[in-house]
Amino acid sequence: MKEKEFDLIINDLVNNKTVLEMKKYYQHGSTSCFEHCYNVAYICYKMAKKLGWDSVSAARGAMLHDLFLYDWRIPKKNRVNKKMHAFTHGEIALNNANKLFKLNDTEKDMILRHMWPVTIVPPKYKEGFVLTLADKWCATKEIVTFMFSIIRNNPIIQYAYLFYIF
């Protein structure tokens, strides 16, 4: 069960009409962008709280870190953002979040730099490093879970796998 304090911290974010639009977009496998950000936010909150860091900023920055609002999996030529998603979506998410909420410097930096080390500039704040770790951990878990669901629900793949291992 999630903690009440966590829910109170992100309540205005998760009930915002624009933030709820993240449910329309898939992030990793079958996980929505909203669900991904919520899970990352909870991990960031718990880690920052345990370490005595700014758990409020950690949760709020993480909840907004992927507020880019487009399907990054369609070809670049068919997207509004024609640049490489991994390198640009942090800036897009920050611009979107700034239009909706008053963000502190920690939250802004977390959103902008959460793709480090893929992007060159690391986070300025320790809560940003927590976000980069939680984001990668959740992404890996979401992708692996999705891949296992494909294998588990597809007898042809299961059958082909038998030939692969023997």
Side-chain angles (χ1 to χ4, degrees):
M1 183 170 131
K2 303 280 190 246
E3 296 176 21
K4 276 190 174 191
E5 182 182 43
F6 172 72
D7 290 332
L8 289 171
I9 289 168
I10 64 166
N11 185 58
D12 63 318
L13 306 180
V14 298
N15 290 302
N16 178 278
K17 181 182 166 187
T18 304
V19 173
L20 287 169
E21 285 183 39
M22 289 195 298
K23 290 182 177 186
K24 296 179 191 175
Y25 304 101
Y26 289 102
Q27 180 62 325
H28 307 110
S30 60
T31 304
S32 76
C33 196
F34 182 92
E35 184 183 359
H36 167 74
C37 287
Y38 185 88
N39 292 335
V40 172
Y42 186 67
I43 291 170
C44 285
Y45 163 79
K46 292 291 285 183
M47 290 174 70
K49 191 161 182 71
K50 182 146 182 94
L51 294 166
W53 298 349
D54 184 356
S55 59
V56 173
S57 293
R60 293 179 67 81
M63 188 64 217
L64 299 171
H65 81 276
D66 281 340
L67 186 64
F68 49 81
L69 303 174
Y70 61 85
D71 185 353
W72 64 270
R73 298 186 295 182
I74 63 173
K76 286 188 293 183
K77 64 181 179 173
N78 298 332
R79 291 194 318 240
V80 173
N81 176 24
K82 308 259 188 246
K83 298 177 183 174
M84 286 190 69
H85 174 75
F87 297 102
T88 60
H89 77 273
E91 185 175 349
I92 293 167
L94 177 58
N95 290 336
N96 290 338
N98 270 327
K99 291 174 189 171
L100 300 169
F101 306 103
K102 184 173 176 18
L103 304 173
N104 64 35
D105 290 342
T106 302
E107 295 162 348
K108 289 176 187 176
D109 189 68
M110 288 174 68
I111 297 166
L112 182 63
R113 304 192 192 286
H114 77 272
M115 285 302 291
W116 183 80
V118 173
T119 54
I120 297 170
V121 182
K124 291 180 188 175
Y125 304 95
K126 55 192 171 232
E127 294 80 5
F129 284 98
V130 168
L131 173 56
T132 63
L133 293 172
D135 186 35
K136 278 41 167 192
W137 188 85
C138 283
T140 301
K141 182 179 181 226
E142 292 159 7
I143 291 165
V144 169
T145 300
F146 178 70
M147 295 307 293
F148 276 114
S149 74
I150 289 172
I151 293 167
R152 189 173 37 256
N153 297 320
N154 191 322
I156 294 171
I157 293 175
Q158 291 173 358
Y159 185 70
Y161 183 71
L162 286 175
F163 283 103
Y164 177 74
I165 61 172
F166 292 111

